């Protein structure tokens, strides 16, 4: 539905622009107090208050009372009934799916194991069925979804929507994944790498929310990073920015799946770490390694700490090039916490260029294993137009 267009420069046009600015800020951040909305939009507190009252009365916004720094404040969010989006994360070994409303509140979610060498056709067929089943439990159908965000364990070329580097995700290469899933479910789909989307979630509403720039390092079966500047992703020309797992640690080292030698992944990726244990010890997944470490197993702790040291060296190079304010560590191995991050800090201190403000802080992810899925929800909402009268999809 096309609304009335106010004459440029008119008071009505200015009000519409201010309302749009406020709604976009809520889409970006989820929930904000009226004071925070004034800061994020540049509008006066009085203007924000008037717009919030108007859009709350029309059903577009929802308000509640909260406390910030010991003071009473009005918390504002988009109304839940505006519609639903889905976030999907295909990792190397796991599938996560979550359906959320416009406030980013998850209303249903599920996760399933994946075969190591899963293929796009079979998995997208399965995803289509699962989305239909999940929407049915909510009393709707897939056609009720406004959009779907999807995270993959490989860099995605933003110009083509395909995996940008051969060898990093066999079974998914040469396929426009968004187009392929849209053909199955008839809804708009947006695809990016798992590290990018996890980094986006952490920057918008997690550990990196107060940082002007951050790096999300995802450590699991594979290793990659998402680079965030002012709340937005830096992808590079081909979507390969942040592929820290393929930084060369030793040019004469082991062969990597990317066809180079001595990449960080060959020393600190999941398969490399698990291969250090004999089959009799039952180290099949990184969760087994972390469980053994938590139980006090010395070998497991040493393996994780050594991985942290290698990752820290690569992170130092990334810091020298990108100069972030904050480093956030997530992924399956990120669940090891300080056993992994303390050696990372030590390597960063020894290797990165120092500055007057010190080195970037290294912290854990806020959303654990669901960070990538939350990022997929975020990118889906970023591509949905929210309007008081209609909500058409925006390309």
């Amino acid at each position: 539905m096309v609304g009335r267009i106010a004459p440029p420069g008119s008071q009505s046009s200015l009000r519409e622009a201010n309302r749009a600015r406020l709604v976009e800020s809520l889409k970006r951040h989820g929930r904000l107090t009226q004071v925070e909305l004034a800061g994020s939009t540049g509008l006066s507190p009085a203007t924000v208050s008037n717009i919030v009252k108007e859009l709350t009365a029309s059903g577009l916004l929802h308000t509640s009372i909260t406390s910030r720094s010991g003071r009473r404040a009005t918390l504002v969010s988009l109304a839940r009934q505006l519609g639903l989006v889905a976030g999907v994360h295909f990792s190397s070994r796991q599938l996560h799916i979550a359906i959320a409303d416009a406030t980013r509140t998850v209303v249903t979610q599920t996760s399933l194991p994946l075969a190591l060498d899963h293929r796009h056709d079979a998995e997208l067929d399965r995803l289509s069925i699962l989305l239909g089943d999940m929407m049915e439990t909510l009393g709707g159908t897939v056609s009720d979804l406004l959009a779907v965000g999807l995270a993959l364990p490989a860099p995605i070329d933003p110009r083509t929507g395909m995996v940008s580097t051969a060898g990093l995700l066999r079974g998914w290469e040469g396929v426009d994944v968004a187009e392929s899933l849209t053909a199955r479910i008839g809804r708009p789909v947006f695809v990016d790498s798992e590290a990018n989307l996890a980094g986006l979630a952490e920057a918008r509403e997690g550990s990196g929310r107060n940082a002007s720039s951050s790096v999300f390092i995802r450590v699991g079966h594979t290793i990659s990073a998402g680079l965030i500047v002012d709340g937005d992703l830096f992808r590079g020309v081909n979507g390969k920015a942040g592929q820290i797992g393929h930084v060369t640690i030793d040019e004469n080292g082991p062969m990597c799946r990317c066809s180079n030698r001595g990449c960080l992944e060959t020393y600190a990726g999941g398969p490399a770490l698990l291969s250090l244990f004999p089959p009799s010890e039952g180290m099949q997944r990184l969760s087994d390694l972390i469980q053994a470490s938590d139980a006090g197993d010395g070998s497991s702790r040493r393996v994780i700490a050594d991985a942290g040291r290698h990752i820290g060296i690569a992170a130092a190079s990334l810091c020298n090039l990108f100069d972030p304010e904050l480093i956030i560590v997530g992924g399956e191995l990120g669940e090891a916490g300080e056993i992994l991050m303390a050696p990372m800090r030590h390597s960063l201190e020894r290797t990165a260029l120092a500055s007057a403000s010190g080195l970037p802080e290294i912290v854990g992810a806020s959303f654990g294993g669901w960070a990538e899925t939350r990022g997929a929800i975020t990118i889906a909402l970023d591509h949905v137009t929210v309007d008081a009268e209609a909500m058409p999809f925006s390309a």
Side-chain angles (χ1 to χ4, degrees):
M1 176 164 52
V2 179
R4 294 169 298 170
I5 301 175
S10 68
Q11 191 66 28
S12 176
S13 176
L14 179 61
R15 283 198 301 270
E16 288 179 10
N18 288 343
R19 285 196 294 265
R21 190 184 306 176
L22 186 144
V23 168
E24 284 301 311
S25 188
L26 290 173
K27 278 176 57 183
R28 186 179 183 86
H29 299 291
R31 295 176 176 84
L32 293 172
T33 65
Q34 289 194 165
V35 172
E36 290 169 335
L37 270 171
S40 67
T41 60
L43 301 174
S44 70
T47 299
V48 167
S49 179
N50 288 335
I51 294 173
V52 167
K53 288 177 182 176
E54 175 189 352
L55 297 186
T56 300
S58 71
L60 185 65
L61 302 183
H62 172 75
T63 61
S64 60
I65 301 302
T66 187
S67 177
R68 292 288 170 90
S69 303
R71 301 181 65 179
R72 181 184 170 96
T74 300
L75 189 65
V76 185
S77 66
L78 296 173
R80 297 186 64 171
Q81 64 268 27
L82 291 176
L84 299 173
V85 298
V88 179
H89 174 212
F90 284 100
S91 72
S92 299
R93 304 294 298 269
Q94 199 85 9
L95 169 62
H96 289 308
I97 309 171
I99 294 175
D101 62 24
T103 70
R104 292 189 179 91
T105 299
V106 173
V107 294
T108 183
Q109 65 185 38
T110 189
S111 53
L112 299 165
L114 291 172
L116 185 56
D117 294 317
H118 50 77
R119 296 183 56 83
H120 83 278
D121 45 5
E123 295 308 331
L124 292 183
D125 285 343
R126 178 160 70 148
L127 174 59
S128 303
I129 295 170
L130 289 171
L131 286 172
D133 290 344
M134 293 172 74
M135 287 300 295
E136 187 176 342
T137 65
L138 298 173
T141 66
V142 171
S143 63
D144 295 319
L145 288 172
L146 299 175
V148 177
L150 197 152
L152 289 177
I156 303 298
D157 190 326
R159 301 167 302 180
T160 65
M162 299 180 186
V163 174
S164 63
T165 303
L168 297 189
L169 191 59
R170 292 182 175 88
W172 293 76
E173 295 169 356
V175 178
D176 185 330
V177 177
E179 184 178 88
S180 185
L181 183 56
T182 292
R184 287 168 164 83
I185 64 174
R187 307 310 301 146
V189 178
F190 304 92
V191 180
D192 211 326
S193 73
E194 58 185 1
N196 276 355
L197 293 185
L200 189 65
E202 293 290 341
R204 295 278 185 89
E205 52 177 338
S207 297
R209 184 167 183 170
N210 296 319
S212 60
S213 63
S214 60
V215 170
F216 179 89
I217 299 180
R218 188 183 190 282
V219 190
H221 190 81
T222 61
I223 303 175
S224 55
L227 312 182
I228 313 293
V229 182
D230 293 331
D232 288 316
L233 288 165
F234 176 76
R235 296 180 174 89
V237 175
N238 302 295
K240 295 188 294 183
Q243 287 302 301
I244 190 175
H246 300 286
V247 169
T248 300
I249 299 295
D250 179 3
E251 62 182 12
N252 297 312
M255 285 294 298
C256 180
R257 63 195 176 104
C258 72
S259 301
N260 288 327
R261 283 190 176 275
C263 294
L264 175 63
E265 273 191 14
T266 65
Y267 291 93
L273 303 185
L274 298 176
S275 70
L276 298 173
F277 296 89
S280 59
E281 294 195 20
M283 293 289 185
Q284 301 296 319
R285 293 176 176 265
L286 285 173
S287 57
D288 300 326
L289 178 63
I290 293 171
Q291 186 176 357
S293 173
D294 290 343
D297 179 67
S299 297
S300 300
R301 286 174 170 258
R302 177 59 186 269
V303 164
I304 294 172
D306 285 348
R309 179 171 56 84
H310 288 304
I311 296 164
I313 293 171
S317 296
L318 187 58
C319 288
N320 291 343
L321 292 170
F322 183 61
D323 194 23
E325 182 180 344
L326 182 70
I327 296 174
I328 305 167
V329 181
E332 297 93 335
L333 196 62
E335 298 294 324
E338 285 301 312
I339 298 173
L340 177 76
M341 292 191 292
M344 284 182 64
R345 293 191 190 96
H346 182 63
S347 290
L348 204 66
E349 290 166 1
R350 289 193 304 113
T351 314
L353 291 173
S355 65
S357 59
L359 294 169
E361 185 182 2
I362 297 178
V363 300
S366 297
F367 299 118
W370 288 89
E372 298 83 357
T373 314
R374 288 200 69 87
I377 289 168
T378 297
I379 200 173
L381 284 171
D382 278 354
H383 288 84
V384 170
T385 296
V386 178
D387 183 81
E389 294 181 304
M391 285 198 317
F393 155 71
S394 72

